[in-house]
Amino acid sequence: MSFEEEWAALRSAAAERTAMRVNGVPAEGGSGGGTADLVVNRDDLGAIGNDAYALRTRLAKDGDHARPATFGAAIALTNGNFTSGAAVLKVHDRWRTHLKTLLDSCAHISNHLDFTKAQHARDEVKIVGDLAPISKLTEYMK
């Protein structure tokens, strides 16, 4: 089989898999039918959020050990008229910038997961409250 024939066969198979389905759901399931589309396990979110917070805490402490020594070396090299002093200072500044970015990212992940966990709980309460009147109507319509 030539490349063109194989490529055409693969494209055809992909088109069949992604063809639009109207008035139906895939055999392997889909929305409706009692299966939940959105599943959030609060314990998982909490564990990931805690890990991100722990990583941030440890990184804030351990990620800064070399900075003072690097800065001291850059100053000493610069004062000794070595051209590499400026390069070491640039490494120092870039490390500090990237470390701050990474710390901010870890904090953002932790905060976002905490927010998501709390928002999911609020959404759950609202959905249950919204569905309660509908279940009463369904009872009356029987």
Side-chain angles (χ1 to χ4, degrees):
M1 178 183 285
S2 72
F3 173 78
E4 287 79 18
E5 292 170 336
E6 185 176 358
W7 181 247
L10 289 171
R11 283 192 347 228
S12 174
E16 288 175 14
R17 283 192 309 269
T18 60
M20 181 185 290
R21 293 179 181 98
V22 179
N23 293 330
V25 294
E28 63 273 358
S31 62
T35 60
D37 289 334
L38 173 63
V39 177
V40 177
N41 187 331
R42 290 184 218 151
D43 294 337
D44 291 343
L45 291 177
I48 295 168
N50 287 340
D51 288 346
Y53 180 77
L55 176 63
R56 186 199 180 284
T57 304
R58 186 166 173 211
L59 188 59
K61 178 183 164 206
D62 296 340
D64 203 33
H65 282 309
R67 188 190 52 77
T70 304
F71 184 74
I75 296 303
L77 288 168
T78 302
N79 289 342
N81 293 325
F82 288 96
T83 56
S84 60
V88 173
L89 187 57
K90 187 182 277 189
V91 168
H92 166 270
D93 293 344
R94 293 238 172 118
W95 175 259
R96 191 176 64 191
T97 300
H98 290 302
L99 179 62
K100 183 178 180 331
T101 301
L102 188 55
L103 289 170
D104 290 346
S105 296
C106 288
H108 182 73
I109 290 168
S110 177
N111 291 341
H112 178 71
L113 290 172
D114 288 343
F115 172 80
T116 301
K117 183 177 169 183
Q119 183 64 41
H120 179 68
R122 286 190 296 269
D123 290 345
E124 188 72 24
V125 168
K126 183 180 182 326
I127 290 169
V128 168
D130 289 348
L131 291 179
I134 293 173
S135 64
K136 292 288 184 191
L137 286 174
T138 304
E139 288 176 23
Y140 291 126
M141 299 195 60
K142 287 182 182 180

